[in-house]
Amino acid sequence: MRNSKGQFEIGRQETFEEKEIRIKALVNSWKNRTDYIADIDNKKIYNCWRSFMFTIKGKKIGCSKEWTDYRTFYNDVIETFIEGYIFSRIDKTKPFSKENFMWLDKDVAGNIRDNIIKIEYNGETKTLKEWSIQFKLSVNGIRLRFHRDKNLTSEEIIFGKKKQSKSDLLSAHDLDKQKLRNKASKMCSSYKIKDKKKRFEFDLNIMAN
């Protein structure tokens, strides 16, 4: 604990009043900092700023020097901000800036992406929207697969991954064994029915190996 001169005093406990004064001093000190932003209560706008300041994808896109300061960014975009709209660039070839941003309705933004993003399949290059129309598939599903997994082939993006059947997971040797077991099981069932009709005791089982 420190005394009024700022010196440490061993064994002395801080009073409630002293603690309150210290906390207020810390808060005021933080408020006087140039990077203080706690007075700006808009998580949506803050998350937009963080998206191009601190994410890998956002850093690649970049922003103007002025927008590295959150308060400047906030003042530039707040007048046009619409709740629920998506923060986007006007010109996709340039970084974010006061002259290069817009707020887009979600449906409009999705429409733009679906008509811009192109993938090649079977020697043809088409947009996500065009592939969805051609094969009568949901464009939302194609878009989701495109963004979710970059390791998917064009065919898998359009149609989705084919589910592996049990037989696909078995080796050739295991598959042959499985076929023999299935055949033997059918034969046993047939013999069992015949023995039951003749009132014979059925005592035949398929061996584990």
Side-chain angles (χ1 to χ4, degrees):
M1 179 61 204
R2 296 175 183 269
N3 58 23
S4 58
K5 296 181 180 180
Q7 300 169 326
F8 281 105
E9 292 184 350
I10 299 173
R12 181 174 177 271
Q13 289 188 346
E14 185 179 36
T15 65
F16 176 80
E17 290 76 14
E18 288 172 333
K19 184 177 181 179
E20 195 173 36
I21 292 170
R22 179 172 59 83
I23 291 173
K24 283 183 179 179
L26 287 172
V27 171
N28 289 331
S29 175
W30 169 239
K31 285 183 177 180
N32 290 328
R33 288 173 55 135
T34 55
D35 57 346
Y36 178 74
I37 58 172
D39 58 319
I40 305 175
D41 186 20
N42 192 311
K43 290 183 179 179
K44 173 65 178 179
I45 292 181
Y46 179 69
N47 287 336
C48 292
W49 180 73
R50 285 191 76 258
S51 69
F52 62 74
M53 283 295 295
F54 303 112
T55 65
I56 295 174
K57 183 179 178 181
K59 286 179 179 180
K60 286 181 180 178
I61 294 172
C63 70
S64 62
K65 185 178 179 181
E66 294 77 13
W67 274 17
T68 57
D69 176 71
Y70 175 63
R71 191 172 291 277
T72 301
F73 167 76
Y74 176 84
N75 290 334
D76 286 343
V77 304
I78 186 59
E79 288 185 8
T80 55
F81 170 71
I82 303 173
E83 187 64 46
Y85 276 43
I86 295 173
F87 184 68
S88 184
R89 288 174 292 163
I90 298 171
D91 186 344
K92 299 294 183 181
T93 65
K94 296 179 180 179
F96 283 106
S97 69
K98 185 177 181 180
E99 295 76 28
N100 192 37
F101 85 95
M102 59 181 170
W103 296 101
L104 283 177
D105 177 85
K106 286 183 179 180
D107 293 334
V108 174
N111 237 355
I112 291 173
R113 287 195 296 268
D114 297 340
N115 286 289
I116 290 177
I117 300 171
K118 295 183 178 181
I119 55 176
E120 184 181 347
Y121 173 65
N122 275 354
E124 292 184 90
T125 301
K126 295 184 178 183
T127 65
L128 303 186
K129 185 71 175 178
E130 288 171 334
W131 286 122
S132 72
I133 293 171
Q134 179 171 334
F135 295 110
K136 297 179 180 179
L137 298 169
S138 166
V139 69
N140 292 330
I142 297 174
R143 187 196 315 127
L144 181 64
R145 289 189 288 272
F146 176 84
H147 290 290
R148 185 175 56 189
D149 191 345
K150 298 301 181 183
N151 295 318
L152 294 179
T153 63
S154 297
E155 183 177 2
E156 289 171 334
I157 290 172
I158 297 170
F159 303 103
K161 278 188 175 182
K162 292 180 180 178
K163 292 184 179 179
Q164 285 186 307
S165 64
K166 197 172 181 181
S167 60
D168 292 335
L169 299 173
L170 295 173
S171 65
H173 177 67
D174 289 336
L175 194 57
D176 288 338
K177 285 177 66 176
Q178 185 63 44
K179 287 179 180 178
L180 286 172
R181 283 183 60 83
N182 292 343
K183 187 175 181 179
S185 178
K186 288 180 181 179
M187 291 175 67
C188 283
S189 297
S190 177
Y191 293 147
K192 187 175 183 179
I193 293 171
K194 290 180 181 179
D195 287 353
K196 189 175 182 181
K197 287 180 179 179
K198 295 179 181 181
R199 296 184 179 179
F200 291 156
E201 184 179 346
F202 182 81
D203 189 19
L204 182 63
N205 293 309
I206 303 172
M207 300 297 291
N209 295 321

